[in-house]
Amino acid sequence: MPTYKYPRPALTVDCVIFGFDRQSTLKVMLIQRKLTPFQGSWALPGGFVRIDESIEAAALRELQEETGLEKLFLEQLYTFGAVDRDPRERIVTVAYYALINLEEYVVKAASDASDAAWFAIDALPPLAFDHDQILLIALNRLKNKVQYEPIGFELLPRKFTLFQLQKLYETILGHELDKRNFRKKILKMGLLRELNEVQQDVPHRAAKLYEFDEVAYEQLREKGFNFEI
Amino acid sequence: MPTYKYPRPALTVDCVIFGFDRQSTLKVMLIQRKLTPFQGSWALPGGFVRIDESIEAAALRELQEETGLEKLFLEQLYTFGAVDRDPRERIVTVAYYALINLEEYVVKAASDASDAAWFAIDALPPLAFDHDQILLIALNRLKNKVQYEPIGFELLPRKFTLFQLQKLYETILGHELDKRNFRKKILKMGLLRELNEVQQDVPHRAAKLYEFDEVAYEQLREKGFNFEI
């Protein structure tokens, strides 16, 4: 058992995985804890960083073990280190976040978690530890991000309607947007390619489908903009 | 001596403190290491996080001990955790950064560091550990920041000329800007208050002085913009 000259905080990772479903609901992936503390509570997937793996590798491993999600593009969010954030002992956690399209991922609960499930952002259960704070900061990061960078590529199906894209923005920003204004702004960016197709099997009038222009998307992502919505 | 079930990485902090001087040079604060490894090399100020202090408190304490700088507004930059980033053992470091006006701060080297000094960004010595990478990421953060948020309040003297402000942007962005264009854009933002004063004791024609409108500055900082320079 390793012994050190001075006491050391334990180091963990936590992952905020956002998903967007067919019904235009923004969701987050939670796992139900099997062990104390907060046994039975819902929490962000995560766990301890091993001595021989990078922090990001630990986040990817824990995600895979606890939720079955693999090969996500994780971005580092923030490191949380309040002295009393864990009742067990001093634990510092590095939080990551990712955006995924729910239709492409099937989630299976695995080893550590008795359950893994998607929760709508506006109907969350109480969370273990300071995970509500971590989630809040991830949501704010997402809100900021949509002002300066194109978003949706990771969250929407490959072909989508302008209504779906607007719903995505509204869900992330937490308020409604003017339809005409939104369409004007988003089309002006040269980000979308209008397809010669319409929606299939919808009860209402089928809307036109669009896809992202990957080159324009990448350029705008690097250059940035101000959406001012 | 504390013993744990599994080996733990050590946790440190490192601080990237940017300063801007009268000669419009962007500088960074470095300390010369007294101890191995990298004895005699220059490094970012920093050190180990104590078990009973938050990560930010550790950063503020180390800064004070090593450089004499106090009460800075630190922003968390990124956490670096590559397995081999320190030759001693596995050490994860949380990096912070801050911007200060060099005329307001006098730096004294203290306990841990045999020397603390400001270095111009374009004339840096080789740095210890992965500190060149940390500095690069801090610089990139700064470059991004100036595109979306007003900057200069912390770096410039209270009263400054448009030339000084332009120099600040040019230094951070690493390239020259068109004078007329820059002035037009910056004045249009409603961020500056023109003073009824000019520079004193300058060998050239004295330029008009400006100060930031704190309310407008704060509003723009929250709202964001796209400077597109």
Side-chain angles (χ1 to χ4, degrees), chain B residues 163-206:
Chain B
F163 178 78
Q164 282 178 298
L165 189 60
Q166 182 175 341
K167 273 285 165 198
L168 174 63
Y169 274 84
E170 289 180 338
T171 309
I172 290 173
L173 292 169
H175 57 82
E176 288 186 18
L177 299 169
D178 178 71
K179 181 173 156 181
R180 248 188 76 196
N181 231 333
F182 177 82
R183 296 193 171 200
K184 212 173 101 187
K185 275 184 184 166
I186 207 89
L187 290 173
K188 212 176 133 196
M189 284 183 187
L191 198 62
L192 303 181
R193 232 185 338 248
E194 190 178 327
L195 298 172
N196 217 349
E197 290 176 59
V198 293
Q199 286 177 298
Q200 301 294 319
D201 308 320
V202 284
H204 49 79
R205 197 167 73 97

Side-chain angles (χ1 to χ4, degrees), chain A residues 1-11 48-56 76-83 89-90 92 94 96 144 147-149 221-226 228, chain B residues 1-11 48-56 76-83 89-90 92 94 96 144 147-149 221-226 228:
Chain A
M1 293 216 285
T3 298
Y4 303 106
K5 197 167 168 192
Y6 300 103
R8 295 183 172 192
L11 188 69
F48 291 91
V49 176
R50 293 183 186 155
I51 201 72
D52 58 353
E53 68 185 352
S54 71
I55 319 176
E56 194 181 331
Q76 202 186 90
L77 176 67
Y78 198 79
T79 296
F80 296 82
V83 173
E89 59 164 330
R90 178 79 192 278
V92 169
V94 185
Y96 287 82
N144 265 316
Q147 312 272 358
Y148 306 130
E149 275 183 33
R221 212 178 58 77
E222 275 174 31
K223 190 170 155 276
F225 56 73
N226 191 8
E228 278 188 27
Chain B
M1 293 219 284
T3 298
Y4 302 106
K5 198 166 166 190
Y6 299 103
R8 294 183 172 193
L11 188 69
F48 291 91
V49 177
R50 293 183 185 157
I51 200 73
D52 58 353
E53 69 184 352
S54 71
I55 318 175
E56 194 182 329
Q76 203 186 90
L77 175 67
Y78 198 80
T79 296
F80 297 81
V83 173
E89 58 162 331
R90 178 79 192 278
V92 169
V94 185
Y96 286 83
N144 264 316
Q147 312 272 2
Y148 306 131
E149 276 182 33
R221 212 178 57 77
E222 276 174 29
K223 190 170 156 276
F225 55 74
N226 191 7
E228 279 189 26

Side-chain angles (χ1 to χ4, degrees), chain A residues 7-221:
Chain A
R8 295 183 172 192
L11 188 69
T12 59
V13 285
D14 284 297
C15 301
V16 184
I17 311 300
F18 291 114
F20 198 64
D21 73 6
R22 272 191 102 90
Q23 284 72 46
S24 303
T25 310
L26 185 66
K27 294 186 166 173
V28 67
M29 157 70 75
L30 299 174
I31 56 119
Q32 196 166 27
R33 288 181 58 79
K34 278 179 176 166
L35 305 170
T36 56
F38 297 104
Q39 193 172 19
S41 282
W42 292 90
L44 298 170
F48 291 91
V49 176
R50 293 183 186 155
I51 201 72
D52 58 353
E53 68 185 352
S54 71
I55 319 176
E56 194 181 331
L60 287 168
R61 177 182 52 72
E62 287 288 346
L63 255 188
Q64 203 279 321
E65 287 174 9
E66 295 193 342
T67 71
L69 289 171
E70 273 181 326
K71 293 178 194 152
L72 298 193
F73 175 68
L74 295 174
E75 270 193 76
Q76 202 186 90
L77 176 67
Y78 198 79
T79 296
F80 296 82
V83 173
D84 59 355
R85 57 172 296 282
D86 195 300
R88 289 168 291 186
E89 59 164 330
R90 178 79 192 278
I91 299 184
V92 169
T93 197
V94 185
Y96 287 82
Y97 77 109
L99 310 174
I100 66 174
N101 169 5
L102 284 186
E103 291 184 37
E104 281 176 19
Y105 287 92
V106 182
V107 170
K108 57 170 202 290
S111 63
D112 289 4
S114 67
D115 211 354
W118 291 98
F119 285 82
I121 284 296
D122 53 6
L124 292 174
L127 300 186
F129 309 105
D130 55 354
H131 289 189
D132 49 350
Q133 196 202 339
I134 297 176
L135 183 56
L136 189 69
I137 284 176
L139 264 173
N140 280 336
R141 180 74 62 94
L142 202 54
K143 278 182 200 180
N144 265 316
K145 206 184 168 77
V146 299
Q147 312 272 358
Y148 306 130
E149 275 183 33
I151 206 165
F153 193 74
E154 308 90 340
L155 289 163
L156 292 171
R158 200 172 68 76
K159 299 171 182 182
F160 51 86
T161 66
L162 290 181
F163 178 78
Q164 282 177 300
L165 188 60
Q166 182 175 341
K167 273 286 164 198
L168 173 64
Y169 273 85
E170 289 180 339
T171 310
I172 290 173
L173 292 169
H175 59 80
E176 289 186 16
L177 298 169
D178 178 71
K179 181 172 155 180
R180 247 188 76 194
N181 231 332
F182 177 81
R183 296 193 171 200
K184 212 173 100 186
K185 275 186 187 167
I186 207 90
L187 290 174
K188 213 176 131 195
M189 284 183 189
L191 198 61
L192 303 181
R193 231 186 338 249
E194 190 178 326
L195 298 172
N196 215 351
E197 289 176 59
V198 294
Q199 286 178 298
Q200 301 295 319
D201 308 319
V202 284
H204 50 79
R205 195 167 75 98
K208 204 168 280 178
L209 288 171
Y210 291 80
E211 64 180 14
F212 286 109
D213 179 328
E214 277 188 63
V215 176
Y217 191 94
E218 196 47 45
Q219 280 170 347
L220 261 184
R221 212 178 58 77

